[in-house]
mmCIF file of all heavy atoms in Angstrom:
data_model
loop_
_atom_site.group_PDB
_atom_site.id
_atom_site.type_symbol
_atom_site.label_atom_id
_atom_site.label_comp_id
_atom_site.label_asym_id
_atom_site.label_seq_id
_atom_site.Cartn_x
_atom_site.Cartn_y
_atom_site.Cartn_z
ATOM 1 N N LEU A 72 76.240 66.267 91.288
ATOM 2 C CA LEU A 72 76.160 66.426 92.774
ATOM 3 C C LEU A 72 74.871 67.087 93.217
ATOM 4 O O LEU A 72 74.270 66.695 94.202
ATOM 5 C CB LEU A 72 77.374 67.186 93.377
ATOM 6 C CG LEU A 72 78.694 66.494 93.173
ATOM 7 C CD1 LEU A 72 79.834 67.459 93.707
ATOM 8 C CD2 LEU A 72 78.758 65.188 93.877
ATOM 9 N N ASP A 73 74.404 68.025 92.452
ATOM 10 C CA ASP A 73 73.157 68.742 92.700
ATOM 11 C C ASP A 73 72.057 67.758 92.480
ATOM 12 O O ASP A 73 71.057 67.724 93.350
ATOM 13 C CB ASP A 73 73.037 69.947 91.694
ATOM 14 C CG ASP A 73 71.718 70.781 92.045
ATOM 15 O OD1 ASP A 73 71.217 70.639 93.147
ATOM 16 O OD2 ASP A 73 71.370 71.539 91.079
ATOM 17 N N ARG A 74 72.071 66.963 91.414
ATOM 18 C CA ARG A 74 70.962 65.999 91.163
ATOM 19 C C ARG A 74 70.891 64.933 92.238
ATOM 20 O O ARG A 74 69.779 64.590 92.723
ATOM 21 C CB ARG A 74 71.170 65.351 89.790
ATOM 22 C CG ARG A 74 70.204 64.256 89.385
ATOM 23 C CD ARG A 74 70.398 63.817 87.907
ATOM 24 N NE ARG A 74 71.630 63.033 87.789
ATOM 25 C CZ ARG A 74 71.883 61.800 88.059
ATOM 26 N NH1 ARG A 74 70.857 61.068 88.515
ATOM 27 N NH2 ARG A 74 72.994 61.225 87.834
ATOM 28 N N LEU A 75 72.105 64.510 92.648
ATOM 29 C CA LEU A 75 72.094 63.421 93.667
ATOM 30 C C LEU A 75 71.519 63.951 94.974
ATOM 31 O O LEU A 75 70.708 63.271 95.637
ATOM 32 C CB LEU A 75 73.566 63.013 93.901
ATOM 33 C CG LEU A 75 73.801 61.981 95.019
ATOM 34 C CD1 LEU A 75 73.096 60.608 94.811
ATOM 35 C CD2 LEU A 75 75.296 61.746 95.194
ATOM 36 N N THR A 76 71.881 65.180 95.302
ATOM 37 C CA THR A 76 71.450 65.764 96.590
ATOM 38 C C THR A 76 69.938 65.806 96.639
ATOM 39 O O THR A 76 69.279 65.464 97.596
ATOM 40 C CB THR A 76 72.000 67.186 96.746
ATOM 41 O OG1 THR A 76 73.474 67.062 96.782
ATOM 42 C CG2 THR A 76 71.547 67.825 98.064
ATOM 43 N N LYS A 77 69.353 66.345 95.475
ATOM 44 C CA LYS A 77 67.880 66.565 95.483
ATOM 45 C C LYS A 77 67.184 65.146 95.367
ATOM 46 O O LYS A 77 66.104 64.998 96.009
ATOM 47 C CB LYS A 77 67.505 67.419 94.294
ATOM 48 C CG LYS A 77 67.992 68.876 94.540
ATOM 49 C CD LYS A 77 67.633 69.688 93.304
ATOM 50 C CE LYS A 77 67.849 71.221 93.588
ATOM 51 N NZ LYS A 77 69.120 71.519 94.029
ATOM 52 N N ALA A 78 67.775 64.240 94.685
ATOM 53 C CA ALA A 78 67.065 62.955 94.483
ATOM 54 C C ALA A 78 66.996 62.162 95.851
ATOM 55 O O ALA A 78 65.884 61.610 96.174
ATOM 56 C CB ALA A 78 67.799 62.075 93.495
ATOM 57 N N VAL A 79 68.092 62.157 96.593
ATOM 58 C CA VAL A 79 68.039 61.453 97.878
ATOM 59 C C VAL A 79 67.136 62.127 98.805
ATOM 60 O O VAL A 79 66.373 61.508 99.594
ATOM 61 C CB VAL A 79 69.503 61.389 98.481
ATOM 62 C CG1 VAL A 79 69.485 60.880 99.917
ATOM 63 C CG2 VAL A 79 70.337 60.497 97.630
ATOM 64 N N ALA A 80 67.144 63.518 98.826
ATOM 65 C CA ALA A 80 66.204 64.255 99.730
ATOM 66 C C ALA A 80 64.758 63.930 99.377
ATOM 67 O O ALA A 80 63.929 63.789 100.304
ATOM 68 C CB ALA A 80 66.492 65.736 99.602
ATOM 69 N N GLY A 81 64.459 63.791 98.123
ATOM 70 C CA GLY A 81 63.055 63.529 97.714
ATOM 71 C C GLY A 81 62.650 62.132 97.984
ATOM 72 O O GLY A 81 61.426 61.816 97.970
ATOM 73 N N GLY A 82 63.578 61.143 98.157
ATOM 74 C CA GLY A 82 63.253 59.805 98.372
ATOM 75 C C GLY A 82 63.207 59.440 99.827
ATOM 76 O O GLY A 82 63.002 58.278 100.171
ATOM 77 N N MET A 83 63.390 60.290 100.711
ATOM 78 C CA MET A 83 63.467 60.078 102.213
ATOM 79 C C MET A 83 62.591 60.992 102.971
ATOM 80 O O MET A 83 62.272 62.225 102.517
ATOM 81 C CB MET A 83 64.853 60.167 102.656
ATOM 82 C CG MET A 83 65.875 59.262 102.146
ATOM 83 S SD MET A 83 65.734 57.522 102.737
ATOM 84 C CE MET A 83 66.318 57.725 104.383
ATOM 85 N N VAL A 84 62.010 60.579 104.060
ATOM 86 C CA VAL A 84 61.185 61.364 104.885
ATOM 87 C C VAL A 84 61.943 61.732 106.201
ATOM 88 O O VAL A 84 62.608 60.846 106.832
ATOM 89 C CB VAL A 84 59.879 60.627 105.298
ATOM 90 C CG1 VAL A 84 59.146 61.395 106.332
ATOM 91 C CG2 VAL A 84 59.095 60.337 104.022
ATOM 92 N N HIS A 85 61.911 62.942 106.558
ATOM 93 C CA HIS A 85 62.622 63.422 107.852
ATOM 94 C C HIS A 85 61.511 63.834 108.777
ATOM 95 O O HIS A 85 60.657 64.783 108.435
ATOM 96 C CB HIS A 85 63.521 64.588 107.539
ATOM 97 C CG HIS A 85 64.191 65.162 108.757
ATOM 98 N ND1 HIS A 85 65.544 65.469 108.788
ATOM 99 C CD2 HIS A 85 63.715 65.618 109.962
ATOM 100 C CE1 HIS A 85 65.811 65.982 109.935
ATOM 101 N NE2 HIS A 85 64.752 66.030 110.643
ATOM 102 N N TYR A 86 61.407 63.257 109.995
ATOM 103 C CA TYR A 86 60.400 63.595 110.911
ATOM 104 C C TYR A 86 60.779 63.233 112.251
ATOM 105 O O TYR A 86 61.241 62.131 112.564
ATOM 106 C CB TYR A 86 59.116 62.793 110.439
ATOM 107 C CG TYR A 86 58.042 62.715 111.586
ATOM 108 C CD1 TYR A 86 57.259 63.833 111.813
ATOM 109 C CD2 TYR A 86 57.742 61.535 112.217
ATOM 110 C CE1 TYR A 86 56.305 63.762 112.808
ATOM 111 C CE2 TYR A 86 56.831 61.414 113.172
ATOM 112 C CZ TYR A 86 56.048 62.595 113.459
ATOM 113 O OH TYR A 86 55.044 62.478 114.391
ATOM 114 N N TRP A 87 60.565 64.193 113.239
ATOM 115 C CA TRP A 87 60.859 63.952 114.674
ATOM 116 C C TRP A 87 59.422 63.731 115.263
ATOM 117 O O TRP A 87 58.509 64.534 115.066
ATOM 118 C CB TRP A 87 61.536 65.150 115.235
ATOM 119 C CG TRP A 87 62.850 65.515 114.676
ATOM 120 C CD1 TRP A 87 63.064 66.591 113.874
ATOM 121 C CD2 TRP A 87 64.089 64.873 114.918
ATOM 122 N NE1 TRP A 87 64.365 66.582 113.569
ATOM 123 C CE2 TRP A 87 65.045 65.627 114.154
ATOM 124 C CE3 TRP A 87 64.525 63.756 115.617
ATOM 125 C CZ2 TRP A 87 66.419 65.249 114.135
ATOM 126 C CZ3 TRP A 87 65.809 63.473 115.593
ATOM 127 C CH2 TRP A 87 66.799 64.193 114.892
ATOM 128 N N THR A 88 59.299 62.714 116.079
ATOM 129 C CA THR A 88 58.037 62.574 116.751
ATOM 130 C C THR A 88 57.843 63.555 117.930
ATOM 131 O O THR A 88 56.696 63.903 118.283
ATOM 132 C CB THR A 88 57.957 61.087 117.359
ATOM 133 O OG1 THR A 88 59.070 60.859 118.207
ATOM 134 C CG2 THR A 88 57.940 60.032 116.263
ATOM 135 N N GLU A 89 58.954 63.948 118.519
ATOM 136 C CA GLU A 89 58.790 64.973 119.588
ATOM 137 C C GLU A 89 59.969 65.933 119.435
ATOM 138 O O GLU A 89 61.153 65.606 119.330
ATOM 139 C CB GLU A 89 58.967 64.264 120.962
ATOM 140 C CG GLU A 89 57.837 63.285 121.312
ATOM 141 C CD GLU A 89 58.022 62.684 122.637
ATOM 142 O OE1 GLU A 89 58.788 63.197 123.439
ATOM 143 O OE2 GLU A 89 57.386 61.648 122.870
ATOM 144 N N GLY A 90 59.579 67.223 119.460
ATOM 145 C CA GLY A 90 60.673 68.268 119.482
ATOM 146 C C GLY A 90 61.481 68.206 118.201
ATOM 147 O O GLY A 90 60.976 67.967 117.121
ATOM 148 N N ASP A 91 62.761 68.500 118.337
ATOM 149 C CA ASP A 91 63.671 68.540 117.214
ATOM 150 C C ASP A 91 64.956 67.731 117.346
ATOM 151 O O ASP A 91 66.055 68.083 116.904
ATOM 152 C CB ASP A 91 64.050 70.060 116.999
ATOM 153 C CG ASP A 91 64.528 70.297 115.553
ATOM 154 O OD1 ASP A 91 64.155 69.552 114.700
ATOM 155 O OD2 ASP A 91 65.295 71.296 115.344
ATOM 156 N N SER A 92 64.798 66.634 118.111
ATOM 157 C CA SER A 92 65.928 65.712 118.285
ATOM 158 C C SER A 92 65.367 64.319 118.542
ATOM 159 O O SER A 92 64.175 64.131 118.957
ATOM 160 C CB SER A 92 66.875 66.163 119.432
ATOM 161 O OG SER A 92 66.121 66.198 120.638
ATOM 162 N N TRP A 93 66.196 63.313 118.378
ATOM 163 C CA TRP A 93 65.805 61.902 118.510
ATOM 164 C C TRP A 93 65.343 61.610 119.938
ATOM 165 O O TRP A 93 65.998 62.030 120.848
ATOM 166 C CB TRP A 93 66.910 60.938 118.136
ATOM 167 C CG TRP A 93 66.477 59.557 118.109
ATOM 168 C CD1 TRP A 93 65.993 58.852 116.995
ATOM 169 C CD2 TRP A 93 66.436 58.617 119.100
ATOM 170 N NE1 TRP A 93 65.734 57.535 117.293
ATOM 171 C CE2 TRP A 93 66.002 57.347 118.576
ATOM 172 C CE3 TRP A 93 66.800 58.662 120.503
ATOM 173 C CZ2 TRP A 93 65.909 56.182 119.364
ATOM 174 C CZ3 TRP A 93 66.662 57.482 121.295
ATOM 175 C CH2 TRP A 93 66.190 56.290 120.724
ATOM 176 N N THR A 94 64.269 60.906 120.080
ATOM 177 C CA THR A 94 63.769 60.491 121.371
ATOM 178 C C THR A 94 63.297 58.965 121.246
ATOM 179 O O THR A 94 63.279 58.467 120.082
ATOM 180 C CB THR A 94 62.531 61.213 121.920
ATOM 181 O OG1 THR A 94 61.443 61.154 120.985
ATOM 182 C CG2 THR A 94 62.892 62.782 122.068
ATOM 183 N N ALA A 95 63.067 58.364 122.301
ATOM 184 C CA ALA A 95 62.674 56.941 122.276
ATOM 185 C C ALA A 95 61.456 56.633 121.474
ATOM 186 O O ALA A 95 61.331 55.552 120.868
ATOM 187 C CB ALA A 95 62.433 56.436 123.759
ATOM 188 N N THR A 96 60.609 57.660 121.269
ATOM 189 C CA THR A 96 59.416 57.483 120.436
ATOM 190 C C THR A 96 59.729 57.339 118.965
ATOM 191 O O THR A 96 58.926 56.867 118.152
ATOM 192 C CB THR A 96 58.349 58.586 120.644
ATOM 193 O OG1 THR A 96 59.065 59.856 120.434
ATOM 194 C CG2 THR A 96 57.832 58.579 122.027
ATOM 195 N N ASP A 97 60.967 57.755 118.573
ATOM 196 C CA ASP A 97 61.352 57.669 117.147
ATOM 197 C C ASP A 97 61.896 56.253 116.892
ATOM 198 O O ASP A 97 62.102 55.886 115.743
ATOM 199 C CB ASP A 97 62.521 58.681 116.958
ATOM 200 C CG ASP A 97 62.070 60.120 116.892
ATOM 201 O OD1 ASP A 97 61.089 60.399 116.109
ATOM 202 O OD2 ASP A 97 62.558 60.910 117.643
ATOM 203 N N ALA A 98 62.060 55.420 117.846
ATOM 204 C CA ALA A 98 62.762 54.148 117.726
ATOM 205 C C ALA A 98 61.870 53.237 116.733
ATOM 206 O O ALA A 98 62.420 52.385 116.106
ATOM 207 C CB ALA A 98 62.940 53.422 119.056
ATOM 208 N N ARG A 99 60.520 53.461 116.808
ATOM 209 C CA ARG A 99 59.702 52.576 115.975
ATOM 210 C C ARG A 99 60.059 52.754 114.525
ATOM 211 O O ARG A 99 59.764 51.881 113.635
ATOM 212 C CB ARG A 99 58.231 52.805 116.242
ATOM 213 C CG ARG A 99 57.768 54.236 115.895
ATOM 214 C CD ARG A 99 56.375 54.531 116.492
ATOM 215 N NE ARG A 99 55.402 53.671 115.969
ATOM 216 C CZ ARG A 99 54.486 53.987 114.980
ATOM 217 N NH1 ARG A 99 54.545 55.251 114.530
ATOM 218 N NH2 ARG A 99 53.657 53.168 114.546
ATOM 219 N N TYR A 100 60.686 53.911 114.108
ATOM 220 C CA TYR A 100 61.064 54.195 112.784
ATOM 221 C C TYR A 100 62.493 53.854 112.541
ATOM 222 O O TYR A 100 62.936 53.445 111.448
ATOM 223 C CB TYR A 100 60.801 55.618 112.369
ATOM 224 C CG TYR A 100 59.368 56.104 112.501
ATOM 225 C CD1 TYR A 100 59.009 56.879 113.565
ATOM 226 C CD2 TYR A 100 58.422 55.731 111.574
ATOM 227 C CE1 TYR A 100 57.690 57.371 113.717
ATOM 228 C CE2 TYR A 100 57.106 56.102 111.731
ATOM 229 C CZ TYR A 100 56.785 56.944 112.773
ATOM 230 O OH TYR A 100 55.464 57.377 112.948
ATOM 231 N N THR A 101 63.298 54.046 113.574
ATOM 232 C CA THR A 101 64.744 54.013 113.371
ATOM 233 C C THR A 101 65.505 52.779 113.796
ATOM 234 O O THR A 101 66.621 52.533 113.413
ATOM 235 C CB THR A 101 65.478 55.149 114.119
ATOM 236 O OG1 THR A 101 65.190 55.084 115.554
ATOM 237 C CG2 THR A 101 65.025 56.540 113.593
ATOM 238 N N ARG A 102 64.816 51.881 114.596
ATOM 239 C CA ARG A 102 65.489 50.599 114.930
ATOM 240 C C ARG A 102 65.186 49.641 113.765
ATOM 241 O O ARG A 102 64.283 49.883 113.029
ATOM 242 C CB ARG A 102 64.930 50.011 116.225
ATOM 243 C CG ARG A 102 63.470 49.684 116.203
ATOM 244 C CD ARG A 102 63.038 49.022 117.503
ATOM 245 N NE ARG A 102 61.547 48.963 117.612
ATOM 246 C CZ ARG A 102 60.850 49.463 118.567
ATOM 247 N NH1 ARG A 102 61.473 50.075 119.620
ATOM 248 N NH2 ARG A 102 59.541 49.404 118.615
ATOM 249 N N ILE A 103 66.040 48.632 113.623
ATOM 250 C CA ILE A 103 65.897 47.738 112.568
ATOM 251 C C ILE A 103 64.853 46.714 112.803
ATOM 252 O O ILE A 103 64.809 46.121 113.991
ATOM 253 C CB ILE A 103 67.293 46.996 112.287
ATOM 254 C CG1 ILE A 103 68.359 48.022 111.796
ATOM 255 C CG2 ILE A 103 67.131 45.894 111.203
ATOM 256 C CD1 ILE A 103 69.701 47.457 111.494
ATOM 257 N N SER A 104 63.960 46.541 111.877
ATOM 258 C CA SER A 104 62.835 45.596 112.012
ATOM 259 C C SER A 104 63.350 44.184 111.923
ATOM 260 O O SER A 104 64.217 43.839 111.213
ATOM 261 C CB SER A 104 61.793 45.901 110.956
ATOM 262 O OG SER A 104 60.873 44.839 110.788
ATOM 263 N N ALA A 105 62.557 43.227 112.618
ATOM 264 C CA ALA A 105 62.893 41.845 112.510
ATOM 265 C C ALA A 105 62.686 41.344 111.129
ATOM 266 O O ALA A 105 63.350 40.400 110.649
ATOM 267 C CB ALA A 105 62.075 41.048 113.506
ATOM 268 N N PHE A 106 61.702 41.905 110.416
ATOM 269 C CA PHE A 106 61.502 41.529 108.978
ATOM 270 C C PHE A 106 62.615 41.981 108.085
ATOM 271 O O PHE A 106 62.831 41.336 107.082
ATOM 272 C CB PHE A 106 60.125 42.171 108.458
ATOM 273 C CG PHE A 106 58.941 41.429 108.913
ATOM 274 C CD1 PHE A 106 58.106 41.926 109.869
ATOM 275 C CD2 PHE A 106 58.618 40.118 108.382
ATOM 276 C CE1 PHE A 106 56.894 41.305 110.286
ATOM 277 C CE2 PHE A 106 57.462 39.458 108.782
ATOM 278 C CZ PHE A 106 56.583 40.011 109.722
ATOM 279 N N ASP A 107 63.281 43.064 108.453
ATOM 280 C CA ASP A 107 64.423 43.499 107.661
ATOM 281 C C ASP A 107 65.633 42.665 107.841
ATOM 282 O O ASP A 107 66.219 42.140 106.950
ATOM 283 C CB ASP A 107 64.737 44.975 108.040
ATOM 284 C CG ASP A 107 65.692 45.612 107.083
ATOM 285 O OD1 ASP A 107 66.424 44.862 106.300
ATOM 286 O OD2 ASP A 107 65.810 46.863 107.029
ATOM 287 N N ASN A 108 66.035 42.551 109.115
ATOM 288 C CA ASN A 108 67.104 41.604 109.493
ATOM 289 C C ASN A 108 66.973 41.157 110.912
ATOM 290 O O ASN A 108 67.343 41.882 111.861
ATOM 291 C CB ASN A 108 68.487 42.275 109.268
ATOM 292 C CG ASN A 108 69.650 41.280 109.244
ATOM 293 O OD1 ASN A 108 69.879 40.530 110.183
ATOM 294 N ND2 ASN A 108 70.505 41.333 108.221
ATOM 295 N N TYR A 109 66.497 39.978 111.083
ATOM 296 C CA TYR A 109 66.213 39.465 112.421
ATOM 297 C C TYR A 109 67.509 39.275 113.243
ATOM 298 O O TYR A 109 67.474 39.355 114.502
ATOM 299 C CB TYR A 109 65.411 38.168 112.361
ATOM 300 C CG TYR A 109 66.174 37.013 111.750
ATOM 301 C CD1 TYR A 109 66.960 36.163 112.479
ATOM 302 C CD2 TYR A 109 66.198 36.810 110.378
ATOM 303 C CE1 TYR A 109 67.708 35.094 111.884
ATOM 304 C CE2 TYR A 109 66.873 35.781 109.734
ATOM 305 C CZ TYR A 109 67.630 34.939 110.512
ATOM 306 O OH TYR A 109 68.327 34.004 109.946
ATOM 307 N N LEU A 110 68.643 39.120 112.591
ATOM 308 C CA LEU A 110 69.907 38.900 113.343
ATOM 309 C C LEU A 110 70.301 40.209 114.039
ATOM 310 O O LEU A 110 70.640 40.192 115.215
ATOM 311 C CB LEU A 110 71.006 38.480 112.356
ATOM 312 C CG LEU A 110 70.825 37.148 111.687
ATOM 313 C CD1 LEU A 110 71.930 36.863 110.654
ATOM 314 C CD2 LEU A 110 70.846 36.005 112.777
ATOM 315 N N ILE A 111 70.221 41.304 113.324
ATOM 316 C CA ILE A 111 70.544 42.620 113.948
ATOM 317 C C ILE A 111 69.433 42.947 114.953
ATOM 318 O O ILE A 111 69.743 43.576 115.972
ATOM 319 C CB ILE A 111 70.680 43.696 112.816
ATOM 320 C CG1 ILE A 111 71.788 43.297 111.880
ATOM 321 C CG2 ILE A 111 71.027 45.065 113.537
ATOM 322 C CD1 ILE A 111 72.045 44.377 110.763
ATOM 323 N N TRP A 112 68.188 42.616 114.649
ATOM 324 C CA TRP A 112 67.124 42.883 115.552
ATOM 325 C C TRP A 112 67.386 42.160 116.900
ATOM 326 O O TRP A 112 67.159 42.725 118.004
ATOM 327 C CB TRP A 112 65.785 42.381 114.925
ATOM 328 C CG TRP A 112 64.618 42.607 115.840
ATOM 329 C CD1 TRP A 112 63.897 43.792 116.039
ATOM 330 C CD2 TRP A 112 63.989 41.649 116.659
ATOM 331 N NE1 TRP A 112 62.874 43.576 116.959
ATOM 332 C CE2 TRP A 112 62.897 42.230 117.335
ATOM 333 C CE3 TRP A 112 64.198 40.298 116.971
ATOM 334 C CZ2 TRP A 112 62.081 41.543 118.271
ATOM 335 C CZ3 TRP A 112 63.428 39.608 117.881
ATOM 336 C CH2 TRP A 112 62.337 40.268 118.442
ATOM 337 N N ILE A 113 67.810 40.917 116.796
ATOM 338 C CA ILE A 113 68.189 40.146 118.077
ATOM 339 C C ILE A 113 69.355 40.748 118.754
ATOM 340 O O ILE A 113 69.322 40.882 120.017
ATOM 341 C CB ILE A 113 68.453 38.653 117.717
ATOM 342 C CG1 ILE A 113 67.194 37.928 117.160
ATOM 343 C CG2 ILE A 113 69.094 37.902 118.840
ATOM 344 C CD1 ILE A 113 67.452 36.559 116.572
ATOM 345 N N LEU A 114 70.312 41.234 118.021
ATOM 346 C CA LEU A 114 71.444 41.942 118.645
ATOM 347 C C LEU A 114 70.967 43.145 119.446
ATOM 348 O O LEU A 114 71.549 43.524 120.479
ATOM 349 C CB LEU A 114 72.519 42.370 117.594
ATOM 350 C CG LEU A 114 73.498 41.353 117.248
ATOM 351 C CD1 LEU A 114 74.442 41.989 116.139
ATOM 352 C CD2 LEU A 114 74.382 40.951 118.384
ATOM 353 N N GLY A 115 69.958 43.833 118.923
ATOM 354 C CA GLY A 115 69.381 44.987 119.572
ATOM 355 C C GLY A 115 68.744 44.679 120.866
ATOM 356 O O GLY A 115 68.418 45.614 121.659
ATOM 357 N N LEU A 116 68.433 43.416 121.191
ATOM 358 C CA LEU A 116 67.851 43.029 122.471
ATOM 359 C C LEU A 116 68.928 42.889 123.505
ATOM 360 O O LEU A 116 68.602 42.803 124.736
ATOM 361 C CB LEU A 116 67.040 41.718 122.292
ATOM 362 C CG LEU A 116 65.902 41.729 121.247
ATOM 363 C CD1 LEU A 116 65.228 40.432 121.211
ATOM 364 C CD2 LEU A 116 64.878 42.839 121.630
ATOM 365 N N VAL A 117 70.159 42.731 123.078
ATOM 366 C CA VAL A 117 71.321 42.561 124.050
ATOM 367 C C VAL A 117 71.578 43.927 124.744
ATOM 368 O O VAL A 117 71.768 44.935 124.019
ATOM 369 C CB VAL A 117 72.518 42.046 123.336
ATOM 370 C CG1 VAL A 117 73.724 41.909 124.369
ATOM 371 C CG2 VAL A 117 72.261 40.673 122.672
ATOM 372 N N PRO A 118 71.593 44.016 126.016
ATOM 373 C CA PRO A 118 71.719 45.323 126.719
ATOM 374 C C PRO A 118 72.889 46.118 126.228
ATOM 375 O O PRO A 118 72.771 47.321 126.051
ATOM 376 C CB PRO A 118 71.934 44.915 128.176
ATOM 377 C CG PRO A 118 71.191 43.623 128.281
ATOM 378 C CD PRO A 118 71.423 42.836 127.035
ATOM 379 N N GLU A 119 74.061 45.540 125.946
ATOM 380 C CA GLU A 119 75.199 46.281 125.573
ATOM 381 C C GLU A 119 75.094 46.929 124.145
ATOM 382 O O GLU A 119 75.811 47.819 123.807
ATOM 383 C CB GLU A 119 76.493 45.425 125.681
ATOM 384 C CG GLU A 119 76.518 44.181 124.820
ATOM 385 C CD GLU A 119 77.716 43.426 125.074
ATOM 386 O OE1 GLU A 119 78.852 43.857 124.738
ATOM 387 O OE2 GLU A 119 77.507 42.282 125.530
ATOM 388 N N TYR A 120 74.170 46.335 123.328
ATOM 389 C CA TYR A 120 74.047 46.839 121.958
ATOM 390 C C TYR A 120 72.724 47.615 121.832
ATOM 391 O O TYR A 120 72.512 48.288 120.782
ATOM 392 C CB TYR A 120 74.049 45.691 120.966
ATOM 393 C CG TYR A 120 75.290 44.967 120.914
ATOM 394 C CD1 TYR A 120 75.378 43.591 121.266
ATOM 395 C CD2 TYR A 120 76.497 45.568 120.507
ATOM 396 C CE1 TYR A 120 76.626 42.889 121.159
ATOM 397 C CE2 TYR A 120 77.675 44.841 120.369
ATOM 398 C CZ TYR A 120 77.771 43.520 120.780
ATOM 399 O OH TYR A 120 78.900 42.827 120.748
#
Side-chain angles (χ1 to χ4, degrees):
L72 295 176
D73 185 19
R74 177 173 68 84
L75 174 63
T76 302
K77 290 177 170 57
V79 172
M83 297 287 287
V84 174
H85 177 132
Y86 164 72
W87 303 102
T88 56
E89 296 180 17
D91 202 24
S92 60
W93 188 90
T94 61
T96 54
D97 291 303
R99 62 193 300 256
Y100 302 106
T101 58
R102 64 175 168 237
I103 295 181
S104 164
F106 279 109
D107 190 342
N108 193 304
Y109 64 91
L110 295 174
I111 301 179
W112 180 82
I113 291 172
L114 274 178
L116 300 178
V117 179
E119 60 186 294
Y120 297 116

